[in-house]
């Protein structure tokens, strides 16, 4: 069970009560205009297993030196379907998610899916303790850069640069799906 | 792509040219040069060849700039690429450091 001090819930995701979590989920969706969705593990799996989505990348995230290789390979794949400006944004989000995996769970998995050149899905997962949704909410919508909260700054970029963000965080770890809709095929 | 810092000494002082990608792995390269800047009191940080920076890299950059201030060195950051400028704006970096520290 979480505790609430000065309006803040402390503890990791799995320690927060359903009631507090429900309030945070509602606020996150409202404030983001439904672009950020906290959802169940099964929902995440349904999104990445959608018919017509082809897995084009699957790489482990084990160490900081993996980040450059993940970005390089992602660029190579994306150059075939997306214009340069969007590639830069997607690659930045990939770097943010992968860094979060290393910082908060030590290791995880990165995958990318492309659906008929029209939709791109980025998926990062880990088996860490999960994200405190209150910290997530605070980081996403408070103004300013926090040198203390690297998770928050990274997620602020992710939310601003993605068309849709689905997050499962709980006892099984953290699974994040980013969706991008491609307007023009290369 | 790795990250490196090239030093160019000119009449205005010391120019540090950042090259490559600044992330969780490469910030240690930046950190290692903060105490090896000689006697120059005016430092220009040239980001023209900085190809990529993420929020961890930005945190490393801010720590580096803070160390310059602590060493009583003045600095100016120049040649910020549009995509990096956009991220700096998003994270309010200019307000945090002071917009006059950047050549925009």
């Amino acid at each position: 069970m979480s505790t609430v001090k000065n309006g803040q819930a402390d503890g990791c995701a799995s320690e927060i009560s359903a009631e507090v979590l429900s309030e945070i989920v509602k606020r996150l969706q409202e404030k983001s205009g439904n672009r950020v969705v906290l959802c169940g593990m099964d929902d995440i799996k349904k999104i990445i297993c959608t018919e017509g989505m082809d897995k084009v990348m699957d790489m482990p995230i084990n160490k900081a030196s993996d980040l450059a290789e993940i970005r390089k390979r992602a660029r190579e794949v994306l150059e075939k379907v997306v214009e340069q400006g969007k590639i830069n944004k997607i690659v930045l989000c990939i770097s943010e998610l992968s860094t979060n995996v290393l910082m908060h769970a030590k290791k995880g998995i990165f995958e990318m899916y492309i659906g008929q050149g029209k939709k791109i899905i980025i998926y990062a997962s880990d088996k860490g303790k999960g994200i405190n949704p209150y910290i997530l909410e605070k980081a996403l919508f408070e103004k300013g850069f926090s040198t203390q909260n690297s998770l928050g700054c990274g997620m602020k970029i992710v939310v601003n640069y993605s068309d849709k963000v689905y997050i499962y965080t709980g006892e099984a770890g953290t699974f994040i799906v980013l969706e991008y809709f491609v307007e023009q095929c290369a | 792509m790795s990250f490196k810092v090239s030093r160019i000494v000119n009449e205005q002082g010391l120019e540090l040219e950042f090259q490559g990608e600044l992330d969780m792995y490469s910030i240690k390269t930046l950190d290692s040069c903060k105490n090896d800047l000689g006697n120059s009191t005016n430092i220009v940080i040239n980001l023209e060849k900085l190809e990529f920076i993420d929020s961890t890299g930005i945190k490393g950059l801010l720590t580096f700039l803070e160390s310059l201030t602590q060493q009583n060195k003045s600095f100016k950051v120049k040649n910020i690429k549009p995509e990096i400028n956009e991220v700096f704006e998003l994270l309010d970096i200019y307000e945090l450091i002071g917009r006059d520290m950047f050549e925009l």
Side-chain angles (χ1 to χ4, degrees), chain B residues 49-62:
Chain B
K49 293 180 181 170
L50 184 68
E51 300 297 332
F52 174 86
I53 187 167
D54 60 14
S55 66
T56 313
I58 291 173
K59 188 177 170 185
L61 174 63
L62 295 181

Side-chain angles (χ1 to χ4, degrees), chain A residues 6-181:
Chain A
N6 301 323
Q8 297 186 19
D10 59 7
C12 64
S14 57
E15 294 169 335
I16 290 176
S17 72
E19 193 179 328
V20 172
L21 188 59
S22 169
E23 286 171 20
I24 294 171
V25 168
K26 196 176 166 191
R27 285 202 303 269
L28 263 175
Q29 292 191 194
E30 280 175 3
K31 286 182 184 176
S32 70
N34 282 324
R35 275 198 305 141
V36 179
V37 181
L38 282 183
C39 56
M41 206 161 42
D42 290 343
D43 299 320
I44 296 280
K45 287 182 179 168
K46 276 181 198 163
I47 296 164
I48 60 174
C49 293
T50 305
E51 197 177 336
M53 298 302 295
D54 297 321
K55 190 191 278 189
V56 291
M57 263 187 85
D58 184 348
M59 289 180 74
I61 309 163
N62 290 327
K63 52 191 184 302
S65 58
D66 290 341
L67 297 172
E69 184 61 23
I70 290 172
R71 290 194 300 265
K72 180 172 172 268
R73 288 186 52 186
R75 275 188 190 280
E76 288 168 359
V77 172
L78 290 167
E79 276 167 3
K80 295 168 189 163
V81 282
V82 199
E83 49 88 20
Q84 194 58 47
K86 190 126 185 170
I87 291 174
N88 291 337
K89 291 184 175 179
I90 297 173
V91 167
L92 178 54
C93 292
I94 290 170
S95 199
E96 297 296 347
L97 291 190
S98 303
T99 301
N100 282 346
V101 166
L102 291 170
M103 279 183 174
H104 302 285
K106 309 286 185 201
K107 62 179 182 178
I109 291 167
F110 164 77
E111 294 173 9
M112 177 157 57
Y113 299 79
I114 296 182
Q116 298 166 344
K118 292 178 181 170
K119 188 159 108 176
I120 295 160
I121 284 180
I122 301 301
Y123 172 62
S125 67
D126 65 61
K127 294 179 179 172
K129 288 168 68 180
I131 305 168
N132 179 337
Y134 179 79
I135 290 177
L136 186 64
E137 181 193 20
K138 192 175 173 195
L140 293 182
F141 303 109
E142 277 196 358
K143 194 171 164 62
F145 182 91
S146 164
T147 52
Q148 301 302 313
N149 186 0
S150 57
L151 169 74
C153 299
M155 286 308 291
K156 185 178 271 186
I157 291 172
V158 167
V159 168
N160 275 276
Y161 283 0
S162 303
D163 293 323
K164 196 107 184 180
V165 182
Y166 297 93
I167 303 171
Y168 162 80
T169 185
E171 288 176 356
T174 299
F175 305 162
I176 299 183
V177 167
L178 311 180
E179 269 185 351
Y180 300 90
F181 301 104

Side-chain angles (χ1 to χ4, degrees), chain B residues 14-78:
Chain B
L14 175 66
E15 180 172 313
L16 300 175
E17 187 183 67
F18 289 12
Q19 298 173 50
E21 301 186 339
L22 195 51
D23 65 5
M24 183 189 192
Y25 181 68
S26 55
I27 50 172
K28 60 189 176 193
T29 304
L30 181 57
D31 192 56
S32 67
C33 76
K34 73 182 178 192
N35 294 319
D36 188 23
L37 299 171
N39 297 323
S40 300
T41 51
N42 296 317
I43 296 183
V44 171
I45 295 159
N46 187 350
L47 302 188
E48 188 178 9
K49 293 180 181 170
L50 184 68
E51 300 297 332
F52 174 86
I53 187 167
D54 60 14
S55 66
T56 313
I58 291 173
K59 188 177 170 185
L61 174 63
L62 295 181
T63 304
F64 180 76
L65 297 179
E66 193 177 24
S67 77
L68 297 183
T69 305
Q70 285 168 355
Q71 294 176 64
N72 296 317
K73 296 179 187 297
S74 62
F75 65 85
K76 198 97 176 176
V77 183
K78 69 173 188 180

